[in-house]
Amino acid sequence: MKPPRSAYPWHWRVLDVLERVVETAWPRRFTKGLPHAMLVPVVLLVAILIAGLVEMLDSSFRVLDTNTFLMSDFYTLDNYRRALTENFFQSVATRSFIASFIVTAITLVVAVPYAYLMVRTQSPALRKFLLVALFFPFFIGEVVRAYGWLIILGNQGLVNEFLGLFGLSSVRLLYNYSAVIFGLVQYMLPFAVLMIAPALTAIPEELEAAANSLGANWIRTFRHVVLPLARPGLVAGGLVVMTLSLTNFAIPAMLGGGSQDFMSNVIYDQFFRTSDQGLGSALSILLVIAGSILVGIIFRLFGTGSLAIKGARK
Amino acid sequence: MSDEKFLSIPLRRRSVLGSIAAAGATVALSPLGAARAFAQEPEKPAEIIVRAWGGSWVDSLKAGVSDSFTELTGIAIRHDLTEDNEIQPKIWAAVAQNRMPPIHVNWDTTTNATKSALRGVTEDLSDLPNLKDTTDLAKPVGLDGYPIVNTYGYVYVLAYRPSAFPDGPPTSWKDLLDPKLKGRIALYNDGIGFHFPAQVAGGGTLEDIPGNMQPAWDFIAKVKQQQPLLGEDPDFTTWFQKGEIDAACTISTNVREAKKNGIELDWVVPEEGAKFDTDGLWIPKGLPENELYWAKQYINHALTKQAQQVWLDGLGLPGVVPGLTPPEDLVNDPAYPTTEEDFKHLIRISSKVQVENESVWFSKFKEIMQG
């Protein structure tokens, strides 16, 4: 006897068909491989990145022939020799690394109280304000933000106009190392706060209350309880800020007045201004290596922070 | 490639070149005649893409060349404002991979274009009919044939704010070393335009370029003590406008445009001379034949007296066709050289020497300025 239509509705039949299609396309015995299959897009992306790096590595061992503007057929270490021995590249590399350390230090010092207040405040309005203030810069591109500083800090900018109200002559606030550091700190602050806030959230408030009840004032509690427990966030935030600062392009270009180049600016010049793809590649590879070594040292010294990997040193 | 295909290319190209000659001759006679000739020519593309610099530069090109070309041929012109340095690797990659290049015509500095010519990615333009009516300036120095056609010249002048020079305009590049100008001067961030006058101001000679540029580096090191700002064309205008600088080494066109927009500015060619250079138009290899044909027609059109007059009135620069009328404000201006006497005050170094040494010069300049 045929079952009534209502006992096995049509949409069940559709699902049956879909199930059979899925079974054909991805048999049950493959189920264990599903997590690996989900990694395919990531693997592809990384593979493309590695392919680019391999290509760049190859170019880095070839020199530019200025009679033909073609790369040499032979391999040579000449680009690396230039990158490692010429004063210009050394001074730019030194400037980039020192700036990234300074920016990281300042950003963390500013970001920790911001994140702490955002996490611990009892006022929902204040929390919302701090969150909006944190996310608002993400809606404005880096270049626009840097341009904003040109308007505010320029010779005829708001700050100098304010100084003028008191009869003070205008001060050159832009186009120097300090301006670049300032611009980078402002750009990096939201990244740092976003990395530190989860670590602070994970610290039970009761621990701070316990420290208080044992006689520790707020400063001692902050120093001996909060900061050590927030270390994973500090390490992760520090790493993100340091690597982004080290490789930044727009802010040194816009706020540095052309005399405060970072490595990225120099690499750009090699690729696009002098058409020397070989030297540009060598500088890029060296920057990747130096950055990776720096990250490795930080992992070794401070652990991986909230970027923690199972089995890694805490 | 099959033999048949291989043999067919030169035949087609010859016929195309023949028709270019016919069309070009007609263009030289009258726009209406040109329109009739074009009707017999290869299939027209929907548009031709011309890379250009933005602002008043592209406005002038549009007014002088692109609009009239469209009027004559019905082919739309799209201006691609990608930076000249950034389009270059894209074109080079396209040619190397036998892909169609991203643009039809590149409006480029002659120095940059020379690199592309040396690399062999430029089409030969020797067969453009209107070349016969141009001055020697149209021919790129140090290259065979016409892989580029220079379309005008320009001068890297010493631009200054008159109110900052109450005793009269500066007369020498050495005036930039005046202590009152500390932090108030600007140069291009790769030093372009400044290397050669610096060589003279530093006590050297032009004959020593490129063998001994030490006088230039010594002078640039002195200028470094003045804490100059380093930037590109738009930066100079902004810096003058915002009161950040009082003097700069920049192209006269930019100063003239800023002046037109109400910024208090003027310029001089200092006693040591000023660098004179050229820009040009070229076509990358890899275009379909009909598009190559019309791209060549575009450049040919840019060499007509009418197109040059309007285009270069906008830029305030001397062209490569004799008999152009200088804009009123530039008559007898040293930055608008037209006579042999005018050129005596300017410094012109071959593009080939420049491209061969550019990388070293840029590095040296940056080493001094970034140190």
Side-chain angles (χ1 to χ4, degrees), chain B residues 131-164:
Chain B
L131 277 176
K132 70 179 189 318
D133 300 322
T134 57
T135 62
D136 287 346
L137 198 59
K139 172 88 178 73
V141 181
L143 293 172
D144 296 330
Y146 281 87
I148 314 148
V149 174
N150 294 331
T151 46
Y152 56 81
Y154 55 92
V155 180
Y156 289 89
V157 294
L158 172 51
Y160 66 98
R161 188 191 305 279
S163 59

Side-chain angles (χ1 to χ4, degrees), chain A residues 66-82:
Chain A
T66 54
N67 288 311
T68 60
F69 274 82
L70 293 166
M71 304 307 291
S72 66
D73 292 330
F74 57 88
Y75 288 122
T76 166
L77 289 170
D78 203 47
N79 291 322
Y80 288 97
R81 182 194 56 73
R82 284 188 64 190

Side-chain angles (χ1 to χ4, degrees), chain B residues 325-339:
Chain B
T325 310
E328 261 179 41
D329 59 322
L330 295 173
V331 175
N332 297 324
D333 192 297
Y336 192 98
T338 50
T339 64

Side-chain angles (χ1 to χ4, degrees), chain B residues 49-126:
Chain B
I49 305 169
V50 180
R51 194 219 72 82
W53 290 282
S56 61
W57 293 82
V58 70
D59 292 344
S60 303
L61 181 75
K62 184 173 182 301
V65 186
S66 302
D67 286 351
S68 49
F69 182 78
T70 302
E71 203 175 304
L72 283 170
T73 63
I75 299 172
I77 300 296
R78 177 148 61 95
H79 298 107
D80 179 333
L81 302 185
T82 306
E83 266 296 305
D84 52 347
N85 293 324
E86 290 172 10
I87 200 78
Q88 183 177 273
K90 292 181 185 175
I91 295 172
W92 288 8
V95 174
Q97 295 161 10
N98 290 321
R99 284 188 287 112
M100 183 152 157
I103 54 167
H104 294 88
V105 176
N106 198 3
W107 182 14
D108 207 352
T109 63
T110 300
T111 307
N112 239 354
T114 300
K115 292 182 199 172
S116 295
L118 290 171
R119 195 178 162 104
V121 301
T122 56
E123 290 283 358
D124 179 36
L125 303 172
S126 307

Side-chain angles (χ1 to χ4, degrees), chain A residues 69 95 257-258 268-269 275, chain B residues 86 88 119 230 244 366 370:
Chain A
F69 274 82
R95 176 187 300 132
Y268 174 91
D269 283 348
S275 314
Chain B
E86 290 172 10
Q88 183 177 273
R119 195 178 162 104
L230 305 172
E244 301 278 354
K366 291 223 161 193
Q370 303 270 338

Side-chain angles (χ1 to χ4, degrees), chain A residues 66-70 82 87-88 91-92 95 147 154-156 172 174-175 257-261 268-269 272-276, chain B residues 85-86 88-89 92 115 118-119 183-184 189-190 229-230 232 239 241-244 355-356 358-359 362-363 366-367 369-370:
Chain A
T66 54
N67 288 311
T68 60
F69 274 82
L70 293 166
R82 284 188 64 190
N87 289 340
F88 168 54
S91 61
V92 173
R95 176 187 300 132
Y147 193 77
N155 268 9
Q156 296 174 353
R172 169 60 59 79
L174 285 171
Y175 312 126
S259 59
Q260 305 296 333
D261 282 358
Y268 174 91
D269 283 348
F272 294 104
R273 208 178 286 277
T274 60
S275 314
D276 195 342
Chain B
N85 293 324
E86 290 172 10
Q88 183 177 273
W92 288 8
K115 292 182 199 172
L118 290 171
R119 195 178 162 104
R184 306 283 307 165
N189 54 17
D190 47 18
L229 298 189
L230 305 172
E232 301 196 21
W239 290 337
Q241 193 172 20
K242 303 274 183 196
E244 301 278 354
V355 296
E356 283 172 356
E358 185 187 62
S359 177
F362 286 1
S363 291
K366 291 223 161 193
E367 182 183 328
M369 287 298 172
Q370 303 270 338

Side-chain angles (χ1 to χ4, degrees), chain B residues 8-16 42 287-294:
Chain B
S8 71
I9 288 174
L11 284 174
R12 284 208 309 273
R13 184 153 296 177
R14 267 203 295 277
S15 62
V16 167
L287 292 175
E289 290 203 12
N290 66 317
E291 295 184 24
L292 169 62
Y293 171 85
W294 289 107

Side-chain angles (χ1 to χ4, degrees), chain A residues 76-159:
Chain A
T76 166
L77 289 170
D78 203 47
N79 291 322
Y80 288 97
R81 182 194 56 73
R82 284 188 64 190
L84 294 169
T85 58
E86 287 187 11
N87 289 340
F88 168 54
F89 299 123
Q90 288 177 357
S91 61
V92 173
T94 307
R95 176 187 300 132
S96 308
F97 275 96
I98 291 177
S100 69
F101 295 141
I102 296 173
V103 170
T104 305
I106 298 175
T107 307
L108 289 182
V109 167
V110 179
V112 168
Y114 190 106
Y116 185 81
L117 185 61
M118 195 173 75
V119 166
R120 288 286 190 258
T121 181
Q122 300 301 312
S123 161
L126 179 60
R127 184 178 296 112
K128 275 180 195 162
F129 170 76
L130 291 173
L131 270 171
V132 169
L134 181 66
F135 279 101
F136 192 67
F138 281 113
F139 301 124
I140 307 168
E142 184 184 4
V143 172
V144 178
R145 262 192 277 174
Y147 193 77
W149 288 120
L150 296 183
I151 294 168
I152 293 167
L153 301 177
N155 268 9
Q156 296 174 353
L158 293 177
V159 173

